[in-house]
Amino acid sequence: MNARKSLYQFAYRRSPDQDGAVARRPVVVIGAGPVGLAGAIDLAQRGIPVVLLDDADRIGEGSRGLCYAKRTLEILDRLGVGRACVEKGVGWKLGRVFQGEDALYAFDLLPETGHAMPAFVNLQQYYLEHFLVQRASELETLEIRWRNEVTGISHLPDGVALTIDTPDGPYTLQADWVVAADGARSPTRAMLGLDFVGEAFEERFLIADVRMSEAFPTERWFWFDPPFHAGRSALLHKQPDGIWRIDLGLGADADAAHEQKPEVVGPRIARMLGHEDFALEWVSVYTFQCRRLERFVHGRIVFAGDAAHQVSPFGARGANSGVQDAENLAWKLARVIRGEAPAALIDTYDVERVAAADENIGHSTRATDFIAPRSAQEMRFRDAALALARTCDFAKRMVNSGRLSTPTTYRDTPLSTPDAEPWAGSARLGAPLPDAPMERADGTPAWLLAEIAGDAVEIVMPDGADHGPPPDGVRRIVIGKDLIDIEGRFRERFDAVPGATWLVRPDQHLAARFRHGDPQRIAAAARRMLGDVA
């Protein structure tokens, strides 16, 4: 077992809400995992009082979630913990795919420079949760209540009622909104009688955290049919603290209890490494599902992360998509609570993040079918693709060892204004902005995304014309005045020309862009972006 299992433990404290009349809170978040913590911090940073409930009194044991993608790191940076994750974690961008003993090909997830965050960072989940809890403790409008278990939940005409059990007994709390981020086994989902649609996989996989001094490269290595684990798959990743994550396919008939025994796991790992100079830190056997709720929004109760959708671990899509759920929801919920947008804005969370879940489920299902074929036809296709990949570049794109997490582009959303002209560059309508190195007017270095932060922003390339004031609720950044494009990366990535304007949502997704500034069109697009969706 992991020696860190009680490293981060938190005391139960009685709340004033447990005495007297039933209290009412603007937002209650259920679940202090990465998704619940990220959502609660985001809301608190936007000035919304939040109560975060968790039935435990400690951060979970074992590394669990491991790979955090560039977009997630950018979100975590805005929440105040990105730098800590990068400094503690193991950054990487290169991967290699093997068949048997032979290397088929390598890939680079961030081939260009000029980004503040790396392509991926490997970091044990307990470290991420620790950083998030530390950040939460700094926010006056965020209260975490440990050992507060939600045992009942029901809809009110204008909110939600919760029954909460504690060491001092139960109490009742009301909320204008509830965010259910209570994990794959979500008690909230069960109490509301909601179920998933999708597919469950029978294939079992063993994951082990192994402490060793082996000097493997800091890369993602994936094997099909390796000599040390014939007929199955294997994955190797580096973590901080001299720990390596090993993932081994076992087959659908594997006995989970048997496979976790040290006398069974140890020889498997020794065959892989070619020696026995290692120590097991944490071992688990898992199966997984590729499923989701039909809807993520149920009245004033909104589901996020694994409580809303589940995918296989191949491609690191679980925690990454969950943190992106939280970011999508937080700015919308803040605007609705402040009376700046109608409650219908929350429906766009459902539209956008259901589409994101379907995208991730599709990638995850295809990866699983390739890694662990369930029919002779799937096996023939996989073997043919692997054979061709040795010599043909086109076949390398067919090999699927887990398409690694990328943020979803919101193509069918009422918040975007369609392009009226063609655009080049890497910026995409509906996608998060690409970062770029900039310089402030005072000469200090800056990054584009950090300067945008969590605001609704209008970016303008001046052309000498009077652009008038920015749209209501939108902050303006003028390139060449407020931020200087010192390396030309902004111009390249945004296809920037004099007079062009970009509208950026508070979650840093591109909502609209115009070759030539038209105040009326820009104002209409800004209203649409911020929730005037009636």
Side-chain angles (χ1 to χ4, degrees), residues 38-109:
I41 291 168
D42 206 339
L43 284 162
Q45 289 188 171
R46 297 179 188 279
I48 304 300
V50 184
V51 172
L52 176 56
L53 307 175
D54 196 274
D55 59 1
D57 63 356
R58 67 185 64 189
I59 289 169
E61 63 182 82
S63 61
R64 295 173 293 150
L66 173 63
C67 300
Y68 300 99
K70 176 176 176 289
R71 179 60 200 150
T72 300
L73 294 168
E74 290 166 349
I75 296 168
L76 294 173
D77 196 39
R78 183 174 58 77
L79 300 182
V81 301
R83 290 295 165 187
C85 291
V86 171
E87 290 170 5
K88 179 62 181 177
V90 175
W92 65 276
K93 65 172 187 165
L94 299 177
R96 298 186 188 276
V97 177
F98 300 84
Q99 184 184 24
E101 296 179 336
D102 300 329
L104 294 185
Y105 66 92
F107 56 86
D108 188 337
L109 295 169

Side-chain angles (χ1 to χ4, degrees), residues 119-457:
F120 271 87
V121 160
N122 288 352
L123 182 72
Q124 294 93 325
Q125 186 172 319
Y126 48 74
Y127 281 127
L128 172 59
E129 292 179 358
H130 173 59
F131 296 147
L132 288 168
V133 170
Q134 283 186 314
R135 173 61 180 148
S137 69
E138 299 169 358
L139 300 170
E140 293 183 0
T141 55
L142 172 51
E143 178 191 359
I144 302 180
R145 298 181 185 175
W146 302 101
R147 298 185 69 184
N148 274 240
E149 179 184 2
V150 177
T151 57
I153 188 166
S154 60
H155 297 284
L156 300 173
D158 61 348
V160 183
L162 303 104
T163 302
I164 303 163
D165 196 21
T166 75
D168 288 334
Y171 71 103
T172 300
L173 184 65
Q174 293 184 1
D176 296 337
W177 293 87
V178 167
V179 179
D182 48 348
R185 296 182 177 87
S186 175
T188 306
R189 194 177 64 232
M191 285 184 280
L192 293 176
L194 302 174
D195 204 356
F196 283 128
V197 294
E199 184 176 9
F201 290 83
E202 297 180 356
E203 188 79 9
R204 294 181 183 272
F205 293 83
L206 176 126
I207 51 176
D209 286 350
V210 175
R211 184 181 295 278
M212 61 181 179
S213 58
E214 196 76 33
F216 291 110
T218 306
E219 301 173 353
R220 179 187 192 262
W221 283 11
F222 190 97
W223 287 265
F224 293 98
D225 192 19
F228 52 80
H229 194 50
R232 300 295 179 187
S233 64
L235 176 66
L236 179 69
H237 255 310
K238 186 177 182 180
Q239 303 181 64
D241 305 332
I243 296 174
W244 296 76
R245 162 67 61 83
I246 293 173
D247 192 313
L248 299 172
L250 297 176
D253 299 327
D255 183 322
H258 174 75
E259 294 293 346
Q260 293 181 77
K261 293 179 179 178
E263 61 268 27
V264 177
V265 177
R268 286 192 186 277
I269 303 300
R271 284 194 297 272
M272 179 178 185
L273 301 176
H275 62 77
E276 298 181 355
D277 188 17
F278 61 86
L280 293 174
E281 288 279 307
W282 179 67
V283 175
S284 182
V285 171
Y286 67 90
T287 58
F288 53 82
Q289 304 171 352
C290 291
R291 308 198 296 175
R292 67 167 174 85
L293 289 171
E294 285 196 45
R295 286 185 54 81
F296 296 174
V297 179
H298 293 263
R300 295 293 188 97
I301 303 171
V302 186
F303 288 84
D306 286 350
H309 49 78
Q310 296 172 21
V311 294
S312 81
F314 304 118
R317 295 178 177 274
N320 286 292
S321 63
V323 171
Q324 290 161 36
D325 287 348
E327 180 188 49
N328 185 290
L329 178 60
W331 72 269
K332 296 172 180 178
L333 203 51
R335 288 188 61 80
V336 170
I337 289 170
R338 290 195 297 258
E340 298 168 351
L345 180 58
I346 306 303
D347 292 334
T348 70
Y349 167 80
D350 189 81
V351 169
E352 294 175 348
R353 294 315 296 173
V354 164
D358 286 343
E359 180 180 301
N360 284 312
I361 287 170
H363 282 298
S364 187
T365 300
R366 288 188 291 273
T368 302
D369 288 342
F370 196 92
I371 292 167
R374 291 176 289 175
S375 69
Q377 183 177 356
E378 289 178 351
M379 181 68 78
R380 284 194 296 271
F381 171 80
R382 190 192 79 170
D383 290 346
L386 290 171
L388 283 169
R390 293 173 180 270
T391 56
C392 301
D393 286 341
F394 80 89
K396 292 179 174 62
R397 295 189 293 271
M398 301 167 64
V399 175
N400 194 336
S401 65
R403 298 281 187 262
L404 287 156
S405 175
T406 55
T408 296
T409 297
Y410 302 138
R411 294 179 175 86
D412 299 316
T413 172
L415 304 186
S416 288
T417 298
D419 288 334
E421 304 92 359
W423 292 81
S426 57
R428 296 285 182 269
L429 185 68
L433 296 190
D435 208 356
M438 309 295 282
E439 190 175 89
R440 300 186 189 95
D442 62 5
T444 57
W447 290 98
L448 177 64
L449 294 183
E451 295 302 300
I452 291 171
D455 296 336
V457 169

